Amino acid sequence: MQKNRAVTIRSGTPAPDRKQGGAVLIVCLVMLTILTIIGIGTTTDISFQSNMVRNSQLRLNAFNTALSELNGQYRRLDNAADASTDNLLNEALDLGELGEAPIPAADLTQTSANNPFSQSVTIVYLGKEIKPVDGEEIGVKGGPTYYFELNSIVELDNTGVGSNQTIGITQLKPKQPE
């Protein structure tokens, strides 16, 4: 019988250095920490960007709501057959210059159940026959011209989101109620 002999094969690679003492573990932990910080920064950046997009969309919706309300009220006021139009303009006239006559909430055109904005629309009487810089009167033949502003204010409650739109109206003196 032969005895088993241990055969040692020598290669050209040296034996691992036992003095490293976990250096690979420390390097891996440092790299993992750096990657975690980059990941958290990216997530925060994406969150900020999505909030900016949402705010931009809300501001655009507020602008469009205010402008649509303004256009709807202008068309309504431009309709000469509507007796409530003359009443609103006369109310603004009675308040005097820069007096604001609010349009009732029931008459607003952009109200609906899914509209998150609070709205107000006012008519402001600016004056009669405003004179330009050169001193000549602006007016229409057949009577004095009255100048009004139609203001539409739309705001989203508890935020800084809103829009304020204004349109100028010139009109002959409104009919007095009978």
Side-chain angles (χ1 to χ4, degrees), residues 126-142:
L126 297 176
K128 178 173 89 170
E129 297 179 312
I130 299 173
K131 297 183 187 229
V133 178
D134 63 6
E136 293 183 25
E137 289 187 4
I138 300 173
V140 178
K141 292 187 178 190

Side-chain angles (χ1 to χ4, degrees), residues 3 11 31-32 86:
K3 285 187 174 179
S11 67
M31 293 297 284
L32 186 61
D86 292 329

Side-chain angles (χ1 to χ4, degrees), residues 26-88:
I26 292 173
V27 169
C28 287
L29 287 176
V30 168
M31 293 297 284
L32 186 61
T33 304
I34 290 171
L35 289 175
T36 302
I37 291 171
I38 290 172
I40 290 171
T42 302
T43 304
T44 304
D45 186 48
I46 289 171
S47 175
F48 285 145
Q49 287 183 9
S50 65
N51 283 341
M52 289 178 357
V53 167
R54 181 178 179 274
N55 287 341
S56 177
Q57 288 173 340
L58 286 173
R59 287 186 195 284
L60 185 60
N61 286 346
F63 172 79
N64 287 334
T65 301
L67 197 57
S68 295
E69 183 67 49
L70 201 61
N71 289 334
Q73 291 300 326
Y74 180 75
R75 279 193 297 275
R76 192 174 136 250
L77 287 171
D78 199 33
N79 183 0
D82 189 356
S84 67
T85 296
D86 292 329
N87 290 340
L88 284 169

Side-chain angles (χ1 to χ4, degrees), residues 83-151:
S84 67
T85 296
D86 292 329
N87 290 340
L88 284 169
L89 294 176
N90 283 322
E91 185 180 337
L93 275 172
D94 291 342
L95 292 171
E97 287 191 31
L98 302 181
E100 293 186 5
I103 293 179
D107 292 339
L108 298 180
T109 61
Q110 297 298 312
T111 56
S112 65
N114 60 353
N115 185 0
F117 298 103
S118 61
Q119 304 177 59
S120 67
V121 181
T122 57
I123 298 175
V124 179
Y125 171 61
L126 297 176
K128 178 173 89 170
E129 297 179 312
I130 299 173
K131 297 183 187 229
V133 178
D134 63 6
E136 293 183 25
E137 289 187 4
I138 300 173
V140 178
K141 292 187 178 190
T145 303
Y146 291 81
Y147 295 89
F148 298 91
E149 272 185 357
L150 186 59
N151 297 320

